[in-house]
Amino acid sequence: MAVCTVYTTRSLNSTCSISTPSKTYLSSHQKQLVFSSTDKRTSRRGSSPWVINCSAGDSQTVVIGLAADSGCGKSTFMRRLTSVFGGAAEPPKGGNPDSNTLISDMTTVICLDDYHSLDRTGRKEKGVTALDPRANDFDLMYEQVKALKSGIAVQKPIYNHVTGLLDPAELIKPPKILVIEGLHPMFDERVRDLLDFSIYLDISNEVKFAWKIQRDMAERGHSLESIKASIEARKPDFDAYIDPQKQYADAVIEVLPTQLIPDDNEGKVLRVRLIMKEGVEHFSPVYLFDEGSTISWIPCGRKLTCSYPGIKFSYGPDSYFGNEVSILEMDGQFDRLDELIYVESHLSNLSTKFYGEVTQQMLKHADFPGSNNGTGFFQTIVGLKIRDLYEQITSTKTAAPLEATKA
Amino acid sequence: MATLRLHSLPAAREEIPTPPSSVSNPRVLLSPSFHCNKKRVSRRMAVTAMGGGGGAKYKGTQMREKQLTEMIEKKVTEAKQVCEGDETSDECKVAWDEVEEVSQAKADLRLRLEVEKKDPLESFCQENPETEECKVFED
C-alpha cells in the first residue's frame, strides 16, 4: 500500500516528518521536521520501513465519536461504518492479538477502554467500575486524539480485556477517519470539541436485557438472575456517567421494544428511533416526505405486502434535552428485499450516491445482527451520513482516486 | 448483488447463542425462506466461502476460550458472594462489572470465530508458527 497517498495534504506548505517505526516512535510531542519540495507523489510501495507522516496546516483527519456499551471495535455498527468506506476493518497485523483497534483503508477505530488508567486489579482496589471516570485517563485520551487529528502518530496503550491488564503500547498512525468508540467519547469537554460528529447508541433496559440473555445464557456460569444482577449493579454508574452523554450527541440511535406486538418481551422486533440534531455543520437530517412536518407512514398496503408484524414509520420535529431535533422512527421488520428498497425510495436526504445504496449495503451484510430492522437500517444511514460529512469537510478529490485504486 | 452460499455448520460443541441481535435468526433476504434445524446457529448466510468450522484454529485461542469460560463462572460466583452482604456496595458493583467485562470478551471472541471466521492469532501465528500457542488445534 502506498502509505503517503493516505496522507496527502491540501496545502503545499505542509511540514512532514519521516520516521522509521522499528527504531524511533513518534510520541505525541515529537515531530521531526523535514521540508520537502512540492510534488509529494512519493509512492513507496511494499513493506517499506519508512512512514511519512504529514500534518497539514488544516488537519484532514475527521474524528467521529461513538458511545456504546457493547464492547469495542467489533461492534456491528463499526463494521457497517467501515464497510461504507470500502474494505473490511482488521486488527493491526503482527501486533498484539488482543489489540482492540481496527484498521481499514480509510478508517481506524480506537477503543476507549485503552485509556483505562486503572486495570482490573486497580479498579477492584479502588472500588470503581470501568464506567467510572476515575478509571479513565482523559488527559491522555485528549492528547492522543488531538495528535491524531493533527496528523501525528501516537503510541497508544492497549487494555487487554482478557487479562484485565494494560499491555505495551501500539503505534497508531493518523487515518483519514478516526473513530473513537467506547463508554466515554463525549464525557470530557476537550475531547468532545475534537469530534466532527458524535453518535450515541441508546439501548433501552428491556432490549438490553433481552440481548444480554441471548449473549450469555449459554455460558455455564450464567443464569437469568446473574444476567439481571449484572445489569442492575452497573446501572447507577451507567446512569450517572454514560447516559448523560446523549445530550451532546449529533445523532442518537434509540432502541426500544416494539409497539406493534402487545406485551412482546423477546426483544426480537424492535422500535428504533434516529434522533438527529438540527443545525449540525455538514449534517442534514434524513426526512420522510416533507421536511419539518410530522408524518406517520405504514408502507405495507396495496403496493407492498408485508408479513406480521409489518413496518411502521414516523417522522417529525421534536426537542431533545433542549436541542432541536428531527426524529425518524421505524418499528417492525423487513422481510424481503423489495420492502427495503421501497422504504429507501421514499426517504430523502440519505446521502446515497446512487439509488438503492442503503439496500445494497444492508444486503452486503445480511448476516449482521439487526439487518432486518431499524438498527441495521439506521446504522447504515448514519454511515452514509458520515461519509457525506467527511467529503464535505475534506472537499478534496483524494478520496475518490484512493477508492478507485482499491476497487 | 450478493451471491449466497448457504452452508450448515458442523455440530456445535455446545449451544452457542448468536451474538446480541434483535432477531435470533438472521433473515435471508433474497431467497425464499428455508428451514433450518433447531439449532439457531446453523442458519448462516455467508457471502464468501470461508474454510473451516466456527471454532478456534490455534491452540492459543482455544485455551483463551476456555480461560474466559472459566473466568465467567468464577466471577459470577464471586459477585454473588460479595453482594450477599450489601448489594449497593462498591465491591458488589465492581464484581458484576467484571462479570460483564469477561462476558463481553467471550462474546467478542465467539463473534470473531463464528461469524467472521478469523482466529485472532492468525497474523501472529503466520509469523511465529513454531510457538506453543500456534499449534493448530485439531478437533
Side-chain angles (χ1 to χ4, degrees), chain A residues 120-121 123-124 159 161-164 221-222 226 230, chain B residues 67-83 91-92 94-103:
Chain A
R120 205 179 282 157
T121 317
R123 296 198 301 270
K124 202 184 203 121
Y159 177 78
H161 285 98
V162 178
T163 61
H222 269 302
S226 65
S230 178
Chain B
Q67 189 192 354
L68 282 170
T69 307
E70 286 165 8
M71 265 164 69
I72 293 177
E73 247 189 302
K74 188 176 119 202
K75 290 202 183 283
V76 169
T77 313
E78 262 175 43
K80 286 184 182 158
Q81 281 171 355
V82 166
C83 296
E91 290 77 24
C92 179
V94 173
W96 283 118
D97 192 40
E98 285 190 13
V99 169
E100 167 62 25
E101 191 188 352
V102 293
S103 302

Side-chain angles (χ1 to χ4, degrees), chain A residues 32-253:
Chain A
Q32 294 160 3
L33 299 179
V34 175
F35 286 95
S36 59
S37 57
T38 53
D39 198 31
K40 259 250 139 308
R41 257 178 321 161
T42 36
S43 47
R44 288 184 173 277
R45 300 198 171 274
S47 53
S48 142
W50 299 92
V51 168
I52 300 173
N53 295 305
C54 304
S55 69
D58 22 34
S59 73
Q60 281 239 305
T61 298
V62 169
V63 185
I64 312 287
L66 172 64
D69 185 23
S70 55
C72 277
K74 294 113 184 158
S75 73
T76 315
F77 198 159
M78 278 304 103
R79 290 187 284 158
R80 288 191 197 276
L81 179 61
T82 46
S83 165
V84 161
F85 290 98
E90 307 267 338
K93 297 234 183 317
N96 184 335
D98 289 317
S99 164
N100 304 303
T101 307
L102 289 180
I103 301 183
S104 72
D105 291 339
M106 298 269 287
T107 62
T108 291
V109 184
I110 281 181
C111 173
L112 292 178
D113 287 350
D114 289 337
Y115 293 110
H116 279 334
S117 49
L118 300 170
D119 63 14
R120 205 179 282 157
T121 317
R123 296 198 301 270
K124 202 184 203 121
E125 279 167 15
K126 289 239 155 71
V128 298
T129 63
L131 305 157
D132 195 312
R134 286 173 290 172
N136 300 282
D137 187 348
F138 290 103
D139 289 337
L140 185 63
M141 189 191 293
Y142 168 61
E143 264 176 47
Q144 296 206 331
V145 174
K146 188 165 100 155
L148 286 167
K149 188 169 175 135
S150 350
I152 303 167
V154 301
Q155 283 286 31
K156 180 193 61 63
I158 297 178
Y159 177 78
N160 188 319
H161 285 98
V162 178
T163 61
L165 300 168
L166 283 160
D167 286 348
E170 62 184 346
L171 177 70
I172 304 290
K173 294 176 273 198
K176 285 217 171 285
I177 297 165
L178 176 69
V179 183
I180 58 171
E181 186 192 8
L183 294 164
H184 305 96
M186 296 170 263
F187 186 85
D188 185 287
E189 193 179 351
R190 300 165 298 175
V191 178
R192 234 166 31 228
D193 289 342
L194 293 172
L195 301 177
D196 293 296
F197 194 74
S198 54
I199 306 144
Y200 184 95
L201 199 49
D202 184 12
I203 318 292
S204 75
N205 291 319
E206 301 92 330
V207 176
K208 195 180 273 193
F209 188 32
W211 285 2
K212 293 212 170 163
I213 291 175
Q214 282 182 41
R215 185 190 75 179
D216 293 338
M217 268 310 268
E219 294 300 333
R220 271 202 313 260
H222 269 302
S223 61
L224 266 180
E225 290 74 32
S226 65
I227 295 170
K228 189 151 185 271
S230 178
I231 296 180
E232 306 264 305
R234 291 173 87 244
K235 201 164 181 306
D237 278 6
F238 191 86
D239 290 343
Y241 306 121
I242 314 300
D243 200 61
Q245 293 176 88
K246 60 191 190 194
Q247 64 186 294
Y248 302 115
D250 298 315
V252 175
I253 298 183

Side-chain angles (χ1 to χ4, degrees), chain A residues 177-407:
Chain A
I177 297 165
L178 176 69
V179 183
I180 58 171
E181 186 192 8
L183 294 164
H184 305 96
M186 296 170 263
F187 186 85
D188 185 287
E189 193 179 351
R190 300 165 298 175
V191 178
R192 234 166 31 228
D193 289 342
L194 293 172
L195 301 177
D196 293 296
F197 194 74
S198 54
I199 306 144
Y200 184 95
L201 199 49
D202 184 12
I203 318 292
S204 75
N205 291 319
E206 301 92 330
V207 176
K208 195 180 273 193
F209 188 32
W211 285 2
K212 293 212 170 163
I213 291 175
Q214 282 182 41
R215 185 190 75 179
D216 293 338
M217 268 310 268
E219 294 300 333
R220 271 202 313 260
H222 269 302
S223 61
L224 266 180
E225 290 74 32
S226 65
I227 295 170
K228 189 151 185 271
S230 178
I231 296 180
E232 306 264 305
R234 291 173 87 244
K235 201 164 181 306
D237 278 6
F238 191 86
D239 290 343
Y241 306 121
I242 314 300
D243 200 61
Q245 293 176 88
K246 60 191 190 194
Q247 64 186 294
Y248 302 115
D250 298 315
V252 175
I253 298 183
E254 198 183 350
V255 185
L256 304 149
T258 182
Q259 289 179 326
L260 300 176
I261 304 174
D263 301 321
D264 174 71
N265 61 355
E266 291 188 42
K268 290 191 183 138
V269 182
L270 296 171
R271 177 175 159 228
V272 189
R273 309 174 83 220
L274 178 58
I275 302 169
M276 299 164 281
K277 209 182 248 176
E278 289 288 342
V280 175
E281 213 185 345
H282 308 302
F283 173 61
S284 50
V286 180
Y287 68 88
L288 183 55
F289 177 51
D290 177 19
E291 196 172 10
S293 66
T294 301
I295 311 273
S296 179
W297 181 47
I298 297 175
C300 315
R302 292 208 189 103
K303 281 202 270 179
L304 186 73
T305 32
C306 315
S307 59
Y308 184 79
I311 305 171
K312 183 165 172 220
F313 271 88
S314 69
Y315 162 76
D318 207 337
S319 177
Y320 187 76
F321 292 101
N323 301 310
E324 276 197 24
V325 298
S326 294
I327 304 184
L328 177 65
E329 177 179 320
M330 171 181 165
D331 195 349
Q333 283 181 182
F334 295 117
D335 250 349
R336 303 187 319 276
L337 176 60
D338 55 337
E339 288 171 12
L340 196 44
I341 192 85
Y342 189 87
V343 164
E344 181 182 347
S345 62
H346 286 82
L347 289 168
S348 309
N349 258 355
L350 285 172
S351 301
T352 48
K353 292 209 162 137
F354 53 85
Y355 175 77
E357 191 177 10
V358 177
T359 302
Q360 191 201 64
Q361 276 293 130
M362 296 272 287
L363 279 183
K364 222 163 94 176
H365 305 296
D367 56 338
F368 284 5
S371 287
N372 66 342
N373 62 42
T375 55
F377 193 50
F378 291 153
Q379 284 173 5
T380 304
I381 292 174
V382 169
L384 296 173
K385 285 296 186 190
I386 291 176
R387 181 183 66 187
D388 185 32
L389 175 125
Y390 169 76
E391 286 173 357
Q392 285 182 52
I393 291 177
T394 53
S395 292
T396 63
K397 306 275 192 325
T398 53
L402 189 69
E403 273 164 41
T405 53
K406 295 299 167 211

Side-chain angles (χ1 to χ4, degrees), chain B residues 114-129:
Chain B
E114 306 286 331
V115 177
E116 295 179 19
K117 307 254 198 316
K118 287 179 190 131
D119 192 302
L121 285 177
E122 188 70 50
S123 87
F124 173 79
C125 287
Q126 302 278 11
E127 312 280 314
N128 309 280

